[in-house]
Amino acid sequence: MTERQGIPRALIVLLCTASAVVTLAGMREVGSIIGPVLLALVLVLAVAPVRTWLERHGAPGWTLVAAPLALVLFLLLGMVAILGFSAAQMATLAPTYSRQFDQIVLQTQRLAAQLGIGTQQVNQAIKTLDPGRVFDLLTGFASGLLEVFTSLVLIVVLVLAMCLDARAFSRVLSSDMARHRSELVRALGLFAHNTRRYLVVSTVFGLVCSALDVIALWVLGVPLPLLWGVLALITNYIPNIGFIIGLVPPALLGLLEGGPKTMILVIACYLLINFVVQSLIQPKFLGDAVGLSTTVTFLSLLVWTFVLGPLGALLAIPLSLLARALLIDSDPAGRWAAALVSGQAPGDGRP
């Protein structure tokens, strides 16, 4: 009996890792093209139920393309306007509070001297909390997203093309030829369903959190509460760290406007709202739609941000779901990998 020769497992892992690195590096180099393509795909999936509803009710063929396209245009133009206004406001806010910041620095230095803490240590800590640096980072984040969204011509053309091909694509997936790729078809359908569910639930609860944040900031007297509410809604799509990004600007403004007490109240309100809405209520509606463990979610955030920048941070979950559908769910032998990335053992109810 001859032994079965196979490729060593370690070599397979190394080859797969090298292929992933080369692929991601290539995607990063052409991120200006891939970013809008992936954004258009997610937007088309988000508005697909509109096309399905119109088709079910016998609407004319041209409306199956025009209605989703108009909805996407409305979303894109609204996002461009919001991000442009936010970037302009954040760029002008920091200089207006320079005097208040200097006063806080002096008070902190005096308190540190009374406690026996060296001035050099205090200055180093203050540099890390400089609101100018924080606002510069947030302005860069908003500007990075704005650059992507301002590629409206390319995005609109891509959305239009995808909407025109949607019916043909659906027919291909439901044809007899697709039966030979049943696992892939099932994985793509699951990806589309889970992505829509994730977007809808995240948007609804993001609006709830944003409205509550705006009310809390308005009561506490923090400037531009509506702007920070919109920022909280946008950063709601960023897993793990989005909440912190949305909290930093109003907390700093609370410190500059009303002192440490206001800052603590802002942080407490954000923590309470986020814990109740996003940690207790939202998971009951979202359920297992994401199908990604906390560790995989955080790693996907890092990877997609590295590849596509700020847009990758916003689309980290949908893009990870797409990668899971193509690489894991479409392979019948990949059940163990699906259990690994979802953090759920086979048979526990998660796909």
Side-chain angles (χ1 to χ4, degrees):
M1 181 182 292
T2 59
E3 284 189 18
R4 182 181 177 183
Q5 299 294 328
I7 301 176
R9 179 78 62 181
L11 181 58
I12 295 177
V13 173
L14 288 175
L15 289 175
C16 292
T17 303
S19 301
V21 170
V22 172
T23 302
L24 292 175
M27 292 176 64
R28 188 185 185 192
E29 290 300 318
V30 292
S32 59
I33 299 176
I34 291 181
V37 171
L38 295 175
L39 175 61
L41 174 62
V42 173
L43 290 174
V44 170
L45 288 177
V47 300
V50 176
R51 183 184 65 84
T52 303
W53 185 86
L54 291 173
E55 188 174 14
R56 188 183 304 121
H57 287 76
W62 63 270
T63 61
L64 303 182
V65 176
L69 182 62
L71 185 57
V72 168
L73 276 175
F74 174 78
L75 293 174
L76 287 176
L77 292 176
M79 190 64 68
V80 168
I82 291 170
L83 288 173
F85 179 76
S86 300
Q89 289 295 319
M90 286 188 286
T92 58
L93 264 179
T96 62
Y97 284 96
S98 58
R99 186 176 63 181
Q100 291 91 326
F101 182 71
D102 292 338
Q103 292 176 353
I104 292 175
V105 170
L106 291 175
Q107 294 174 0
T108 305
Q109 289 175 341
R110 291 171 186 170
L111 179 62
Q114 295 175 358
L115 297 175
I117 302 175
T119 305
Q120 184 177 1
Q121 295 173 336
V122 175
N123 290 336
Q124 283 295 115
I126 290 173
K127 286 181 181 179
T128 61
L129 296 175
D130 186 353
R133 294 178 60 185
V134 176
F135 282 117
D136 287 343
L137 290 174
L138 291 169
T139 303
F141 175 80
S143 300
L145 285 178
L146 189 60
E147 290 179 3
V148 177
F149 284 110
T150 48
S151 304
L152 284 178
V153 176
L154 176 59
I155 296 174
V156 170
V157 170
L158 288 169
V159 171
L160 177 60
M162 291 180 185
C163 288
L164 288 172
D165 292 337
R167 296 184 69 180
F169 188 71
S170 298
R171 286 196 298 268
V172 170
L173 291 181
S174 60
S175 64
D176 293 337
M177 292 185 295
R179 293 179 181 176
H180 301 288
R181 298 288 186 270
S182 58
E183 290 292 332
L184 177 60
V185 173
R186 185 192 67 84
L188 292 176
L190 188 62
F191 155 70
H193 171 75
N194 288 345
T195 299
R196 281 194 294 268
R197 187 177 178 188
Y198 165 76
L199 292 174
V200 170
V201 174
S202 297
T203 301
V204 170
F205 284 97
L207 288 171
V208 173
C209 284
S210 300
L212 295 175
D213 290 338
V214 169
I215 294 173
L217 295 176
W218 179 75
V219 171
L220 295 174
V222 177
L224 302 175
L226 186 60
L227 172 60
W228 307 127
V230 173
L231 178 64
L233 175 61
I234 295 175
T235 56
N236 177 67
Y237 296 100
I238 302 176
N240 301 118
I241 64 171
F243 163 70
I244 300 175
I245 296 175
L247 168 63
V248 170
L252 278 177
L253 280 181
L255 174 64
L256 298 174
E257 187 73 19
K261 181 181 178 181
T262 302
M263 182 184 69
I264 293 174
L265 288 174
V266 170
I267 295 174
C269 289
Y270 266 65
L271 288 174
L272 179 62
I273 293 170
N274 181 78
F275 176 75
V276 172
V277 176
Q278 295 187 344
S279 299
L280 296 182
I281 302 176
Q282 181 173 333
K284 295 181 180 180
F285 289 86
L286 190 59
D288 295 331
V290 174
L292 301 172
S293 67
T294 304
T295 302
V296 173
T297 300
F298 184 71
L299 290 176
S300 64
L301 170 66
L302 297 179
V303 169
W304 291 116
T305 303
F306 170 79
V307 174
L308 298 176
L311 181 63
L314 280 180
L315 299 180
I317 297 298
L319 296 184
S320 297
L321 290 175
L322 177 60
R324 171 178 169 162
L326 294 176
L327 301 177
I328 298 177
D329 293 338
S330 61
D331 185 2
R335 295 183 183 274
W336 67 271
L340 187 64
V341 300
S342 65
Q344 198 86 358
D348 286 352
R350 179 173 291 183

